[in-house]
Amino acid sequence: MIRLLIADDHPVVRAGLRAVLECEPDFAIVAEAATAERAVELAAEPGVDVVLMDLQFGPGSAMNGAQATAAITARAGAPRVLVVTTYDTDADTLPALEAGATGYLLKDAPPEELAQAVRAAAAGRSALAPSVADRLLERMRAPAAALSARETEVLGLVADGLTNQQISQRLHLSQATVKSHLVHIYTKLAVDSRTAAVREARGRGLIR
Amino acid sequence: MIRLLIADDHPVVRAGLRAVLECEPDFAIVAEAATAERAVELAAEPGVDVVLMDLQFGPGSAMNGAQATAAITARAGAPRVLVVTTYDTDADTLPALEAGATGYLLKDAPPEELAQAVRAAAAGRSALAPSVADRLLERMRAPAAALSARETEVLGLVADGLTNQQISQRLHLSQATVKSHLVHIYTKLAVDSRTAAVREARGRGLIR
DNA sequence: AAACGCATCAATCAAAAGGTTGAACTCGGG
DNA sequence: CCCGAGTTCAACCTTTTGATTGATGCGTTT
């Protein structure tokens, strides 16, 4: 019997996961959490094998799903965390996997795939949505053009149309630092302006 | 007895809506659609009172929820359409409401609110999520602020990160004209920078 | 016809942002 | 232990932007 904790801020999604999973005879939903903090609390108690974790916990929540995942997996004997989210971007998947998630599924997955992934997670095996697996492999193959984490962060804000000043405030940096990052980004991407960098990075999938 | 059609591409969400709504004694889920096209087909048949419509139907779908809503409500004797979505932006809500949706709810709504909204829709009354209602009223108070075609065109290029000079070349204008348009845009949108204008216009759905 | 909004352009000026160069510090690996 | 990569910053110069003022022609509306 695999004991599940469902962590999602949407009541409808919780009900949907419960409805889909509790018809599996070997599954038992033992708890639900509507906030990331509550999920961490509940996952700390014994009697949970797999946590189904959403990444987005709506505004008014200090903690996101990736942070909660990190907090849960940090403990010894922690349950496995299976991320189940709507979003499928590098910006979301990588932090979640780095935080120790055992798997990463999309909410549009068919119920059967969900159940398989839960069983895989319970057994300690990984379960990735095909699109996620694709991008991970592609990332492995493409060794080049890697922007550093900070550079990616800066470029993301550039893509959102922020000025260097706004970026510096957002990241608690000086404008000089932001500009410096941009110079490095330009050389790495072989471009010479912010808009060209954004286009290039979008094309390569470095930023959503 | 209120007969419901659930249209959503996520199996989990469909299951969740069904689980939440079918425990209401006066509701009956008579059909489900995983695509917008299928939803239009099913809504055309008699025996449906309210359609719960998602807006996003995943890539690989030609029709979105707003278009499906328009197609459904265009017919005489059509069922009411209640939009239930994750997103809460002007760019999403306005087209949906213009397409004839009777209500607009967010998926994080508590089950009770959902049920109330369905009953309201079945009775022909409107049901809007509080945040949506707020923004609609605010829009009513604010006198329109529609941009001219040319202004929208310019702002679209600004949103793409082009400089005034690049825009002037693209549109065969002088930089002076571009600046002039921008000044008008700023006053109409009550902002004072290009990035703020882009944000504002995106929020209002004036540009993609 | 007059008034109005729209689109077009010119010129000027201060402020902001962008881009370049150079340099310090940290940290992990050879 | 030194090297390179990453992060941080300053000073400097150029480009862009935004504000302002003003002008022309062209449709619509009044």
Side-chain angles (χ1 to χ4, degrees):
Chain A
M1 182 64 76
I2 300 175
R3 293 160 300 181
L4 300 174
L5 162 60
I6 296 176
D8 198 301
D9 57 334
H10 291 20
V12 170
V13 174
R14 287 200 305 275
L17 289 173
R18 199 182 331 118
V20 163
L21 294 173
E22 74 187 357
C23 38
E24 301 291 327
D26 52 336
F27 290 177
I29 287 107
V30 296
E32 292 188 10
T35 69
E37 290 84 352
R38 186 88 182 109
V40 174
E41 282 176 34
L42 290 171
E45 298 180 12
V48 176
D49 300 311
V50 175
V51 180
L52 293 178
M53 174 68 70
D54 189 21
L55 285 185
Q56 227 73 28
F57 273 94
S61 177
M63 199 181 230
N64 65 29
Q67 294 167 328
T69 301
I72 290 173
T73 57
R75 273 189 296 269
R80 310 288 181 173
V81 176
L82 189 60
V83 170
V84 183
T85 186
T86 316
Y87 308 101
D88 181 22
T89 67
D90 274 1
D92 296 320
T93 56
L94 294 179
L97 294 177
E98 282 166 10
T102 302
Y104 193 106
L105 289 186
L106 299 181
K107 278 178 184 167
D108 58 2
E112 187 49 37
E113 195 176 318
L114 253 174
Q116 288 300 334
V118 170
R119 291 197 187 90
R125 286 178 287 120
S126 295
L128 295 181
S131 65
V132 176
D134 282 354
R135 271 184 301 108
L136 279 186
L137 290 179
E138 192 172 354
R139 159 141 331 197
M140 292 299 140
R141 280 188 228 104
L147 298 181
S148 72
R150 199 58 158 171
E151 287 162 355
T152 305
E153 202 173 4
V154 169
L155 187 52
L157 295 178
V158 170
D160 286 343
L162 301 198
T163 66
N164 289 353
Q165 168 134 7
Q166 291 171 315
I167 294 170
S168 70
Q169 287 168 356
R170 186 82 74 90
L171 299 181
H172 306 292
L173 297 176
S174 75
Q175 292 185 50
T177 306
V178 175
K179 291 179 178 182
S180 179
H181 284 309
L182 283 177
V183 170
H184 296 147
I185 292 169
Y186 294 163
T187 59
K188 284 185 180 179
L189 298 183
V191 298
D192 60 356
S193 82
R194 55 177 47 222
T195 58
V198 169
R199 259 206 306 271
E200 186 64 26
R202 281 227 170 91
R204 297 196 200 180
L206 299 175
I207 56 177
R208 62 176 101 140
Chain B
M1 181 65 75
I2 301 174
R3 292 160 301 180
L4 300 173
L5 162 60
I6 296 177
D8 196 303
D9 57 333
H10 292 19
V12 170
V13 174
R14 288 200 304 274
L17 289 173
R18 198 182 332 118
V20 163
L21 293 174
E22 74 186 357
C23 37
E24 302 290 326
D26 51 336
F27 290 177
I29 288 104
V30 296
E32 292 187 11
T35 68
E37 289 85 351
R38 186 87 183 109
V40 174
E41 283 176 33
L42 291 171
E45 298 180 12
V48 175
D49 300 311
V50 176
V51 180
L52 293 177
M53 174 69 69
D54 189 22
L55 285 184
Q56 226 74 29
F57 274 94
S61 177
M63 198 181 233
N64 66 30
Q67 294 167 326
T69 300
I72 291 172
T73 57
R75 274 190 297 268
R80 311 287 182 174
V81 176
L82 188 60
V83 170
V84 183
T85 186
T86 315
Y87 308 100
D88 180 23
T89 67
D90 273 0
D92 296 319
T93 55
L94 293 178
L97 294 177
E98 282 166 10
T102 302
Y104 195 107
L105 289 185
L106 300 180
K107 276 178 185 168
D108 59 3
E112 186 49 37
E113 195 176 318
L114 255 173
Q116 288 300 333
V118 170
R119 292 199 187 89
R125 285 178 285 120
S126 295
L128 294 181
S131 64
V132 176
D134 282 353
R135 271 183 301 106
L136 277 187
L137 290 179
E138 191 171 356
R139 153 130 347 182
M140 290 301 139
R141 283 186 226 106
L147 299 180
S148 72
R150 199 57 157 169
E151 288 162 354
T152 304
E153 201 174 3
V154 169
L155 188 51
L157 295 178
V158 170
D160 286 343
L162 302 197
T163 66
N164 291 351
Q165 169 138 6
Q166 290 170 316
I167 294 170
S168 71
Q169 288 168 356
R170 186 81 75 89
L171 299 181
H172 307 291
L173 297 175
S174 74
Q175 292 182 51
T177 306
V178 175
K179 286 186 175 188
S180 180
H181 285 309
L182 282 177
V183 169
H184 296 148
I185 291 169
Y186 295 163
T187 58
K188 284 185 179 179
L189 297 183
V191 297
D192 60 357
S193 83
R194 53 178 49 219
T195 59
V198 169
R199 258 207 308 268
E200 187 64 26
R202 282 229 169 90
R204 298 197 199 180
L206 268 40
I207 55 179
R208 64 162 154 123

